[in-house]
Each structure stands twice: as structure tokens, then as C-alpha cells.
Amino acid sequence: MIDIQSLDLFYGEFHALKNVSMFLPEKSITAFIGPSGCGKSTLLRTLNRMNDMIKTVKIKGTVTIHGNNIYEPEVNVELLRKRVGMVFQQPNPFPKSIYDNVAYGPRIHGTKKKSELDDIVEKSLRDAALWDEVKGDLKKSAYGLSGGQQQRLCIARALAVNPEVLLMDEPTSALDPISTLKIEELIQQLKEKYTIVIVTHNMQQAGRVSDQTAFFLNGEMVEFSETDTIFSNPVDQRTEDYVTGRFG
Amino acid sequence: MNAFKRKKNWYSSDRVMPKVLLGFSLISILTTFAIVFILLKESITFFSSVSVYDFFTGLKWEPLFAEPKFGVVPLILGTVMITFFSSIVALPVGLGSAIYLSEYAPDRVRTIVKPILEILAGIPTIVYGFFALTFVTPILQKIIPSTEVFNALSASIVVGIMIIPMISSLSEDAMMAVPRALRNGAYAVGSTKLEVAIKVVVPAALSGIIASFVLGLSRAVGETMIVALAAGLQPRISFNPLESIETLTAYIVQVSAGDIQYGSVEYLSIYAVGITLFAITLGMNLLANYISSKFREDYGG
Ligand SMILES: Nc1ncnc2c1ncn2[C@@H]1O[C@H](COP(=O)(O)OP(=O)(O)OP(=O)(O)O)[C@@H](O)[C@H]1O
Ligand SMILES: [Mg+2]
């Protein structure tokens, strides 16, 4: 479904992604792993063009989603980001009510009817496994929630615009183990409806949640295959060193 | 002998310097108290010959007539009118320029525009005053011939221009304090730049923005030279901005610059007007403080 072909990305002179090619099938979970600074977040951001906001970025190669090249000039970036949602490392809810956080996306995309918004908010919160905890407090500020709840709220906010793809950049690195576990369970459930890409520094997490795993080093994709293969039987020595913790 | 023994330099002592610095800050506090004290004292003398009720409800301000009348309502109305019309100019333009500077302007533009705004804020108000009188008023008279030479509108427009930099810069500070992460969250669900600015950044910075509005308006309330020069010295109850009016501040200038006998009731009236003005601006500043502290967003995770 997502097809990355010979992708190079430069921050000014700095070559941050080197000739990356990979195919992410529909309704699968892909993990990006690799040491800090290897380009995981950068690659993730190329999939919803969040890199556009960084002035120095230059991109070569193509990324197609369902056969549509998302880097063609006539692409509507807002529409792309509606279909390719993103969840960030730090929970970043808006300083608004829980309800308004989730309803934000549908509202800017034109849903006005209260009953429709109510339905979307409930459905998204249910899908993000947060509904039962907040259903009585929808009007309360999102800042009253715990970090883990805030992160699930951010997932609900992303789901509310009905995306096909969900990009998650270290979504649990700011959370405690129990919240982390909840989010991991959630990711597994979301796989039924969404294509998911997750960046993580947590090897166990990659092993637990993902179907395939890509290992990056210095902007290069060293190895990409079934998660089991990457962790138990990698082809490249560097991958093996990294996943067994013998790296650097 | 203790190697850590304190050297006896009185000026480097952490015990002496704080006291000296405290003395400096006391100067401004004491001055404020002295001003309030004098305002109160002289106003009390004034109110022994004019009743407080008549002062605050009287509709005629005729201090120099044979039978003087001290009804402050026309002056308050003049001040309110200037504040109202200047805010129509300053609030949208100030907020708009803050949105532009914080959300759209490339760094290069920002580094040029910000100092210019600061220069604008540093121009003496008397200069703004004759700008209103000699530039804005003639233009208004061309557009609407019935405009008087001294009129509230011209002064209001220029007072508005004067407070734009303040509103713009304080609002921009509030908007720049909104974390990048909130903007990213909004972009990630497909927001346009404008939607991010209007629906996320402005609401998140609202307390700071409103505080900047209130502070700006309190500047308009206290503005003196522009209104004294361009709005006239005609205390009257009028809702027509093309007529000349008089504000609280302009009256104080009028009396201070005139040759009214020291100690007379007319003379004392400036203290009563002064304390009214003081109360209004103090109230507004407290309100601005209250808004920005009470509703401060901590963007806490
Ligand atoms: N805005 C930017 N401007 C210039 N260089 C950048 C920018 N963002 C990232 N880089 C550089 O690109 C490289 C890849 O960064 P990226 O954030 O993608 O790494 P990462 O794999 O996500 O690391 P981490 O695990 O620490 O999040 C790094 O060397 C980084 O310094
Ligand atoms: Mg990263």
C-alpha cells in the first residue's frame, strides 16, 4: 500500500536518508528501529510530509500510497495528512476539553452537526480504548488526564478524521510501563482497521507489536523483513549486533 | 585560619547589596504611594465643595462658567469614545500582525519588522498628536466634509496606531509561547496554516492576548497628548466621533497649562479627574494581570 522508492532526504547538505526503498502492506504493523539519529523519525515524517515544514529539507525519490505519488506538486497536503495520521513522542493534546480535542479534526474538515460529532468522538475514544475512562468527563480539560490517557487521547484525535495510516513516533517513550502496555494492546487492535508504522527504541516493543521491522543505521536501511527474522535470524551482522544489544 | 573566610568587601557582600537594591525598588513604590496620597488629599478637598454624587452623575462639565458645573460624565464619555474607536483600529490590526509575525513571517521578515514596531512604540505621543491634527484630520475632512477640525475620530485612529505595537508584541509573545508540538498535532490531522493559527494557537494563547488588549486599552484611556491636540477641548455628551470632545486627560492638560488660580475649585477638580483616571487604568491593569495569571495555560503534559 505504501511504496517508498529510492528515497533520499537532505537537511541542507546533510544526507539523512540514503536510497531507502520499502513496501508497507495494508493493515500491517511496521516497526522502525535503530540508534538515535539514524533517521527513523525523518523517514516517518516523509510519509505525511511533515518534513515540508522544515525549510532546509530536500527530497529525491518517490513515496506512493495506493499508487498515488504524494510528492507530486498538485498533492493536497492537508488531505494527505487527513489520510495519514500521526501520533507524537510527547502527548500533545490541545488546551481544550477532551471532546474538543477529538472533534477538532472532524470540525476543520467540515463536520458541523452535533450528533455526528458526538458519534465520531465516542467512536474514536472507544477505538483508542479511552472511552470508559472519560465518558463522564468529556467537557473537562484534556490536561487533567494522565500522560498515558493523554497519549490515547492523541490517538483518538488522529483516528477521528478517519485515516488509513497511523504513524507513531516513539508513542510510549514518555509513558510508564502500564500505560505502555495499554497502548501496545491498542496498537494490536488498531491493526484490524489501519496500516501502522511505529518508531521505537524498545526492542521488546518492536518484537511484541510489529509484523515487519526495518533496521536503520546512519540514514541507510540495513535490513527489512519479518519481525521474527530480524530478531532471531537477521542477515546482516550489524542488525544482529543491534538487536542483541552488542551495538556500539 | 579558615581558608573559606569571607573577604570583607562591603560591596561584594551578599548582605549589603540586596539592601541597596531594595532601596532602589522602594523609590518607585514610594513614589506611587505619594502620587496616590496627593491625589486623594486634594480630591477630598475638592469633594468638600462638590458632592461626589454630583461629580459622578452630572452631565455638564463647565468649570469656568460663572456658575461652575462639575459633572464628570462628559469627560468619561470622551475617554470611552476614544478608547472604543481606537480599539476598533488597534485590536484587529494588533492581533493580525501578531498572528502574521508568529505564524507566517519568515525569520528574516521578523527580524526587520519587530524593531520597526519597537521604534513605533518609542515615538513621543506629541508627534502622534500633530500627525493626527495635520495629516489624519485633513484626510477625514476630504472624505466627510462635515468633520470638525478637532474630532474624536482622528485622535482615536492615531491612538489606535500608537497602541498597535504594544498589542502586537505582547500577543506575539503569548503566541510564540505556544509549544511547537501543539501546532504539529494540528497539522497532523490536516489543518491548514490558517486553521492552526486561528483554531489552535490563538485559543491557546488567549489569556495573553486578552491581557494585551486590556493593557493596550488602558494605554488608550490614559493617552493624553494625542487627544489634547487632535480631539479638542469640548466636554460634551456626544456619540458623533466627527465632533470635538474632551477626555479626562485632556482636561488635566488644559487646566495645568492654563492660568487657573492655585487652590481654586477649578484647580482642585484636576485631582478629582486624576483620581478617576487613576482608578480606571489601575482597574484595567489589575484585570489584565488577573486574566493572564488566572487563565495562564501551562501546556503541561
Ligand atoms: N530539522 C533538522 N535539521 C537538520 N538536521 C536534522 C533535523 N532533524 C533531524 N536532523 C538530523 O537528521 C538525522 C536523523 O534524525 P532523526 O530525528 O530522523 O533521527 P531518529 O532516528 O528519529 O533519532 P531518535 O531515535 O533520537 O529520535 C540526525 O542526524 C539529525 O541530527
Ligand atoms: Mg526520532
Side-chain angles (χ1 to χ4, degrees):
Chain A
M1 169 194 183
I2 302 179
D3 195 3
I4 303 170
Q5 283 299 329
S6 318
L7 189 77
D8 284 276
L9 185 144
F10 299 83
Y11 290 112
E13 298 288 294
F14 179 70
H15 200 171
L17 291 175
K18 297 166 188 161
N19 195 25
V20 174
S21 297
M22 63 199 303
F23 181 79
L24 313 178
E26 197 158 349
K27 305 211 164 92
S28 65
I29 303 180
T30 306
F32 290 174
I33 61 171
S36 196
C38 66
K40 307 178 294 293
S41 300
T42 302
L43 180 60
L44 198 70
R45 286 196 301 264
T46 61
L47 304 182
N48 66 345
R49 291 187 51 173
M50 285 295 271
N51 284 324
D52 288 16
M53 252 114 37
I54 304 167
K55 297 267 155 19
T56 55
V57 164
K58 288 220 168 46
I59 291 176
K60 284 198 307 209
T62 59
V63 177
T64 57
I65 296 181
H66 289 310
N68 309 297
N69 183 355
I70 64 170
Y71 281 97
E72 265 167 24
E74 68 263 27
V75 165
N76 176 339
V77 183
E78 286 80 43
L79 195 59
L80 168 71
R81 295 196 187 126
K82 180 172 179 283
R83 306 222 345 226
V84 183
M86 188 167 214
V87 175
F88 300 80
Q89 181 171 358
Q90 291 289 335
N92 59 351
F94 303 133
K96 300 175 190 278
S97 69
I98 293 169
Y99 184 98
D100 287 340
N101 262 279
V102 183
Y104 173 84
R107 277 184 178 135
I108 62 164
H109 292 292
T111 308
K112 294 211 177 66
K113 265 181 52 198
K114 174 91 171 70
S115 58
E116 261 175 74
L117 285 171
D118 287 351
D119 290 346
I120 296 174
V121 169
E122 174 169 351
K123 184 172 173 304
S124 309
L125 286 169
R126 279 189 193 285
D127 283 354
L130 187 60
W131 175 253
D132 291 330
E133 290 159 62
V134 301
K135 61 185 169 204
D137 300 329
L138 295 180
K139 294 280 165 244
K140 291 205 181 139
S141 166
Y143 285 2
L145 300 174
S146 73
Q149 289 174 322
Q150 288 189 6
Q151 192 62 303
R152 278 178 282 148
L153 179 65
C154 291
I155 294 174
R157 181 177 69 190
L159 300 182
V161 294
N162 201 16
E164 296 169 68
V165 182
L166 203 54
L167 310 174
M168 306 179 125
D169 196 347
E170 301 184 44
T172 63
S173 68
L175 305 181
D176 65 279
I178 293 175
S179 305
T180 299
L181 215 67
K182 275 204 175 135
I183 298 225
E184 284 182 13
E185 281 169 13
L186 171 60
I187 292 170
Q188 302 265 293
Q189 289 162 20
L190 291 175
K191 184 186 149 182
E192 286 172 22
K193 296 188 201 162
Y194 307 92
T195 306
I196 295 172
V197 186
I198 178 171
V199 172
T200 179
H201 276 284
N202 181 330
M203 294 303 127
Q204 286 86 5
Q205 183 167 75
R208 280 193 297 262
V209 303
S210 69
D211 302 314
Q212 60 264 337
T213 297
F215 170 62
F216 295 88
L217 201 56
N218 298 326
E220 269 176 75
M221 191 176 76
V222 174
E223 192 165 348
F224 176 45
S225 58
E226 300 297 308
T227 297
D228 290 344
T229 315
I230 289 278
F231 283 98
S232 56
N233 198 12
V235 175
D236 199 290
Q237 183 62 41
R238 293 168 295 175
T239 313
E240 182 169 347
D241 288 349
Y242 185 75
V243 298
T244 53
R246 260 179 283 146
F247 186 83
Chain B
M1 171 99 183
N2 187 338
F4 298 113
K5 194 167 162 1
R6 186 194 297 278
K7 268 212 212 133
K8 280 204 175 139
N9 264 348
W10 68 268
Y11 55 83
S12 68
S13 157
D14 269 355
R15 278 179 310 182
V16 176
M17 274 321 274
K19 291 189 180 124
V20 175
L21 298 174
L22 174 69
F24 289 152
S25 40
L26 279 181
I27 290 175
S28 65
I29 295 172
L30 289 178
T31 315
T32 312
F33 276 120
I35 291 171
V36 175
F37 175 75
I38 293 169
L39 277 177
L40 273 175
K41 181 170 160 288
E42 303 287 345
S43 305
I44 288 169
T45 320
F46 172 80
F47 284 121
S48 64
S49 35
V50 178
S51 88
V52 174
Y53 180 82
D54 288 348
F55 180 75
F56 283 110
T57 60
L59 301 182
K60 285 212 162 72
W61 186 262
E62 292 160 350
L64 298 179
F65 282 25
E67 236 175 85
K69 291 212 170 65
F70 294 99
V72 81
V73 172
L75 295 184
I76 291 184
L77 213 64
T79 294
V80 167
M81 182 134 100
I82 296 284
T83 309
F84 175 76
F85 284 104
S86 64
S87 69
I88 289 181
V89 174
L91 302 191
V93 178
L95 180 60
S97 98
I99 291 177
Y100 173 74
L101 284 176
S102 92
E103 303 304 304
Y104 290 91
D107 288 345
R108 203 162 36 82
V109 173
R110 209 196 335 263
T111 52
I112 297 169
V113 172
K114 279 217 92 170
I116 293 179
L117 282 179
E118 264 143 42
I119 292 171
L120 210 58
I123 296 175
T125 57
I126 187 85
V127 177
Y128 279 108
F130 71 70
F131 173 69
L133 191 61
T134 62
F135 184 76
V136 178
T137 301
I139 292 176
L140 289 177
Q141 284 176 320
K142 280 227 181 65
I143 302 169
I144 314 165
S146 67
T147 309
E148 295 178 12
V149 173
F150 298 107
N151 66 82
L153 186 59
S154 170
S156 298
I157 292 172
V158 175
V159 170
I161 292 172
M162 181 198 76
I163 59 180
I164 285 170
M166 177 178 181
I167 290 179
S168 161
S169 139
L170 290 177
S171 295
E172 191 214 339
D173 290 347
M175 289 165 62
M176 294 289 265
V178 174
R180 176 93 238 146
L182 288 190
R183 294 179 174 83
N184 284 341
Y187 282 121
V189 290
S191 305
T192 61
K193 235 177 164 149
L194 189 65
E195 284 160 349
V196 173
I198 305 284
K199 300 198 168 131
V200 175
V201 179
V202 168
L206 200 60
S207 60
I209 291 171
I210 291 178
S212 84
F213 284 1
V214 178
L215 283 179
L217 294 191
S218 103
R219 276 287 295 280
V221 168
E223 173 41 42
T224 306
M225 289 323 292
I226 300 173
V227 290
L229 230 58
L233 301 168
Q234 287 286 325
R236 61 152 78 114
I237 298 206
S238 158
F239 296 96
N240 180 358
L242 302 177
E243 288 180 349
S244 89
I245 50 130
E246 183 162 38
T247 63
L248 294 163
T249 49
Y251 175 71
I252 296 177
V253 175
Q254 185 189 4
V255 171
S256 309
D259 47 10
I260 284 175
Q261 198 199 333
Y262 176 83
S264 64
V265 183
E266 301 85 73
Y267 176 81
L268 288 174
S269 68
I270 64 173
Y271 289 98
V273 170
I275 204 155
T276 309
L277 192 61
F278 181 80
I280 295 174
T281 49
L282 179 69
M284 293 180 81
N285 284 311
L286 290 179
L287 181 67
N289 265 343
Y290 173 78
I291 290 170
S292 57
S293 63
K294 170 86 181 184
F295 301 104
R296 181 174 301 287
E297 299 296 352
D298 56 4
Y299 313 116

